[in-house]
C-alpha cells in the first residue's frame, strides 16, 4: 500500500483548517482532479469513450493514438467583426462570407443549459453546487459558439470560473492615460506579430488594443512592485521566516499574502502578447479582457512572468515527467534523440496552447482549463504529443515534427486529457497545481 495521501485525504485536510483564498483555490483544483479522475462520471463513461476509444485490455489501458489527420469540422466564415478601433479592411481578395450561426441568444433561440445557468443565476443560492454544475456543463456540453469561436456568454463564464471581481472602467482608463510604461518598447517589439497569420484575430483585434492592454498591465505590475519594495527588503523571505512559530491556519494565510509579492515579477516578458490575445478576442470590451488577463498572470500563473520564468521551466519538466508516466515508449524515444520539452514545448506552456491555431479551438480548450484548472494545460500538451505518437516514432528526426504542433482539436484533446488525469499520481498532480505559483 502506498503512503501517498489520497485526494479525499487531501480534501479533508484542507477542510480541517479555516480557509484562506489560496487554500480554497488549491482545494477546488484538487476537487477538479477528483471529478476528472472518477470513472463513474457521466462524461468519462459516455463522451470520453465515444471520442477516444480505450484499449480492449481493460479500463487502465491508455487510449490509442488519435489520427490528427482526420477531417475537422467545417466552420462557416463570417464577415468582418467589430473591433475597438474599427480596423480597416485589408486589400486583395477576401474569403467568401457566410452567415454566422446563432448560438443561443436572441428572440426565438433556445438557450443552452450552460447559458441559462449563467443568465438566470442559481435557484437555491448554493454557490458551491452552482460552480460544480457550471464546470460539469462546460465538460459535458461545451460552450456554444459560431464558426469564428464567438459566443455571447463565454467571457462571463470565464469571469465566473476565475472569480474575477468587477473592474471599474475608470481604473483601466487611468492606467491608459499614464502613457508609456517602462516596458513599452518591449511591448511594441512584439505586438505587431501577435497571431499575425490568423485572419480571425487580425479582423477583430487591433494592435492598438493589444498595446493598451499590455501597457496597462505593465503599469499595474509596476505599481505592485513599488508597493512591495516600500515594505522593506525581501518581504517574501521575511514572511517565510515568520512562519516558524505560526499556527498552521495563520501560516497558510501569510503564505498566500506573501505570494502576492510582485517584487520579482517582470512587467512584460516575451509571449505575454500571445497569452493575452484570446482574452481580447473573446471579450466584449478591453476592460473585461484587462481584468481577466491581469488577474490570470498575477494570481493563477505568477511564476510565468517572473524574470527567470521559473514557472514555465517547471512546467516543461513536468511535461517530460508526465509523458514518461503516461507514454513511456514515446518519452524514451524523444529523450534518446535529445528532445526534451524545453526544446519544443516552451510556447505551449507559456501561452496555454494559444500559440497553436486555430483560435476557435483555443477558446474551447480554455473553457476546459478555466473550469478545472489552468495547470491541466501541461496534460493537454502531453495529449497532443500522444496524438502525434505514430508520426514521431516513425521519424528519425522528431525535432522537425515538433517545430510546430498540428492544428488543435479541443474536443479530442480534452477527452484524452481526462483519461490521462487518471494515470497521474497524487504527488505529481500536486506539483502540477503549484508549478505556476
Amino acid at each position: 500500500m502506498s503512503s501517498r495521501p489520497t485526494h479525499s485525504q487531501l480534501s479533508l485536510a484542507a477542510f480541517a483548517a479555516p480557509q484562506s483564498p489560496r487554500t480554497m483555490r488549491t482545494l477546488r483544483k484538487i476537487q477538479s482532479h477528483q471529478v476528472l479522475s472518477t470513472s463513474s462520471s457521466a462524461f468519462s463513461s459516455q463522451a470520453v469513450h465515444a471520442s477516444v476509444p480505450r484499449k480492449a485490455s481493460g479500463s487502465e489501458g491508455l487510449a490509442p493514438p488519435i489520427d490528427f489527420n482526420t477531417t475537422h469540422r467545417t466552420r462557416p466564415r463570417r464577415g468582418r467583426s467589430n473591433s475597438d478601433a474599427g480596423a480597416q479592411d485589408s486589400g486583395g481578395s477576401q474569403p467568401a462570407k457566410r452567415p454566422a450561426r446563432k448560438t443561443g441568444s436572441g428572440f426565438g433561440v433556445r438557450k443552452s443549459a450552460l447559458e441559462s445557468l449563467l443568465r438566470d443565476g442559481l435557484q437555491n443560492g448554493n454557490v458551491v453546487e452552482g460552480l460544480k454544475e457550471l464546470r460539469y456543463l462546460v465538460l459535458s456540453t461545451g460552450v456554444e459558439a459560431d464558426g469564428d469561436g464567438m459566443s455571447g456568454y463565454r467571457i462571463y463564464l470565464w469571469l465566473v470560473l476565475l472569480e474575477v471581481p468587477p473592474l471599474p472602467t475608470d481604473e483601466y482608463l487611468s492606467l491608459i492615460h499614464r502613457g508609456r510604461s517602462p516596458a513599452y518598447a518591449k511591448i511594441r517589439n512584439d505586438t505587431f506579430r501577435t497571431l499575425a497569420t490568423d485572419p480571425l484575430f487580425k479582423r477583430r483585434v487591433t494592435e492598438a488594443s493589444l498595446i493598451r492592454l499590455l501597457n496597462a498591465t505593465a503599469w499595474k505590475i509596476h505599481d505592485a512592485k513599488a508597493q512591495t519594495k516600500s515594505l522593506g527588503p525581501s518581504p517574501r523571505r521575511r514572511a517565510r521566516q515568520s512562519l516558524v512559530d505560526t499556527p498552521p491556519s495563520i501560516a497558510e494565510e501569510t503564505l498566500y499574502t506573501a505570494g502576492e509579492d510582485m517584487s520579482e515579477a517582470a512587467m512584460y516578458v516575451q509571449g505575454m502578447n500571445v497569452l493575452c490575445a484570446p482574452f481580447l478576442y473573446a471579450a466584449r470590451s478591453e476592460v473585461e479582457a484587462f481584468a481577466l488577463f491581469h488577474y490570470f498572470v498575477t494570481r493563477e500563473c505568477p511564476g510565468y512572468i517572473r524574470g527567470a520564468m521559473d514557472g514555465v521551466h517547471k512546467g516543461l519538466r513536468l511535461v517530460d515527467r508526465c509523458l514518461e508516466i503516461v507514454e513511456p515508449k514515446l518519452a524514451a524515444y524523444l529523450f534518446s534523440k535529445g528532445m526534451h520539452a524545453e526544446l519544443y514545448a516552451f510556447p505551449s506552456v507559456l501561452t496555454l496552447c494559444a500559440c497553436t491555431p486555430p483560435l476557435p479551438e483555443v477558446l474551447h480548450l480554455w473553457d476546459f482549463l478555466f473550469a478545472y484548472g489552468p495547470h491541466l494545460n501541461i496534460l493537454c500538451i502531453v495529449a497532443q504529443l500522444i496524438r502525434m505518437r505514430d508520426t514521431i516514432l516513425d521519424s528519425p528526426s522528431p525535432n522537425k515534427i515538433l517545430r510546430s504542433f498540428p492544428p488543435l482539436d479541443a474536443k479530442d484533446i480534452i477527452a484524452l486529457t481526462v483519461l490521462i488525469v487518471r494515470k497521474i499520481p497524487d504527488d505529481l498532480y500536486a506539483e502540477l497545481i503549484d508549478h505556476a505559483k
Side-chain angles (χ1 to χ4, degrees):
M1 296 291 291
S2 172
S3 60
R4 189 177 63 245
T6 65
H7 299 159
S8 298
Q9 290 171 333
L10 289 173
S11 300
L12 290 173
F15 275 118
Q19 306 303 318
S20 70
R22 181 171 182 179
T23 304
M24 292 301 293
R25 284 204 299 267
T26 302
L27 176 59
R28 282 192 294 271
K29 292 174 181 177
I30 292 172
Q31 291 171 333
S32 297
H33 189 194
Q34 292 176 301
V35 172
L36 291 176
S37 59
T38 301
S39 59
S40 61
S41 70
F43 183 83
S44 297
S45 60
Q46 297 175 16
V48 174
H49 288 183
S51 302
V52 191
R54 301 172 72 94
K55 287 183 178 178
S57 58
S59 62
E60 289 301 316
L62 183 67
I66 302 170
D67 182 6
F68 61 83
N69 291 318
T70 53
T71 304
H72 289 260
R73 296 181 293 276
T74 303
R75 300 187 181 87
R77 303 182 69 89
R78 66 174 184 177
R80 180 175 67 83
S81 302
N82 294 327
S83 70
D84 68 318
Q88 297 180 355
D89 293 326
S90 57
S93 60
Q94 295 289 336
K97 297 179 180 178
R98 301 178 185 177
R101 177 165 53 87
K102 265 294 194 189
T103 61
S105 302
F107 179 77
V109 179
R110 184 177 180 180
K111 293 185 291 188
S112 67
L114 182 58
E115 183 179 8
S116 296
L117 181 58
L118 278 171
R119 288 181 178 271
D120 302 337
L122 304 173
Q123 298 300 319
N124 57 7
N126 190 326
V127 176
V128 174
E129 291 300 320
L131 284 173
K132 284 183 180 180
E133 183 179 357
L134 205 60
R135 293 187 179 100
Y136 172 76
L137 289 172
V138 170
L139 188 62
S140 59
T141 66
V143 174
E144 289 186 337
D146 64 20
D148 291 351
M150 301 308 300
S151 168
Y153 61 88
R154 168 175 277 132
I155 196 66
Y156 305 112
L157 174 69
W158 289 2
L159 288 165
V160 170
L161 291 174
L162 292 177
E163 302 178 31
V164 178
L167 178 76
T169 302
D170 288 347
E171 182 177 335
Y172 179 65
L173 291 176
S174 67
L175 294 169
I176 298 298
H177 293 156
R178 289 170 67 174
R180 299 181 178 184
S181 71
Y184 182 80
K186 292 181 179 179
I187 292 170
R188 286 301 304 270
N189 194 43
D190 285 343
T191 50
F192 72 93
R193 52 186 174 219
T194 303
L195 305 185
T197 60
D198 192 318
L200 294 178
F201 180 76
K202 301 302 286 186
R203 195 165 60 215
R204 182 174 177 82
V205 180
T206 65
E207 184 184 0
S209 62
L210 270 169
I211 294 170
R212 284 194 296 268
L213 189 149
L214 290 168
N215 195 65
T217 302
W219 275 125
K220 190 81 170 177
I221 295 175
H222 173 273
D223 294 346
K225 288 163 66 72
Q227 183 177 10
T228 300
K229 290 179 179 178
S230 68
L231 299 176
S234 303
R236 182 187 295 248
R237 185 180 306 167
R238 290 204 319 271
R240 292 186 182 278
Q241 290 175 348
S242 67
L243 300 181
V244 177
D245 299 317
T246 306
S249 59
I250 301 176
E252 182 72 28
E253 182 64 34
T254 306
L255 275 175
Y256 170 77
T257 306
E260 303 306 308
D261 169 24
M262 298 297 294
S263 61
E264 300 174 6
M267 286 181 284
Y268 177 82
V269 296
Q270 193 171 31
M272 285 175 68
N273 57 314
V274 178
L275 184 60
C276 84
F279 289 115
L280 271 172
Y281 184 83
R284 301 171 73 91
S285 72
E286 277 186 35
V287 179
E288 291 173 340
F290 169 76
L292 276 163
F293 177 69
H294 175 263
Y295 177 92
F296 188 78
V297 296
T298 58
R299 305 296 284 281
E300 290 290 339
C301 57
Y304 284 10
I305 63 169
R306 291 196 192 100
M309 303 177 79
D310 56 319
V312 179
H313 292 288
K314 289 179 183 177
L316 292 167
R317 290 190 290 271
L318 287 168
V319 170
D320 286 334
R321 291 172 61 190
C322 291
L323 182 63
E324 199 169 15
I325 290 173
V326 176
E327 191 54 62
K329 181 179 178 181
L330 178 59
Y333 182 72
L334 287 174
F335 298 163
S336 70
K337 299 292 183 178
M339 293 298 296
H340 293 267
E342 290 271 359
L343 299 178
Y344 60 82
F346 191 96
S348 296
V349 173
L350 174 60
T351 68
L352 269 69
C353 294
C355 58
T356 304
L359 187 53
E361 294 297 310
V362 172
L363 302 181
H364 283 299
L365 187 64
W366 279 25
D367 296 336
F368 168 70
L369 294 177
F370 293 163
Y372 288 93
H375 59 281
L376 288 173
N377 179 54
I378 302 300
L379 300 184
C380 289
I381 296 170
V382 173
Q384 292 175 75
L385 293 171
I386 293 174
R387 297 180 74 233
M388 302 163 62
R389 175 174 54 186
D390 290 345
T391 305
I392 293 173
L393 292 176
D394 291 340
S395 173
S397 302
N399 59 311
K400 295 180 181 179
I401 299 172
L402 294 174
R403 285 174 185 170
S404 61
F405 284 14
L408 286 178
D409 187 324
K411 182 179 179 181
D412 286 345
I413 290 171
I414 291 169
L416 187 51
T417 299
V418 171
L419 294 176
I420 291 173
V421 165
R422 305 179 195 176
K423 288 183 165 286
I424 303 300
D426 295 348
D427 52 352
L428 181 56
Y429 194 87
E431 290 185 51
L432 284 174
I433 291 176
D434 291 334
H435 82 275
K437 300 304 182 185

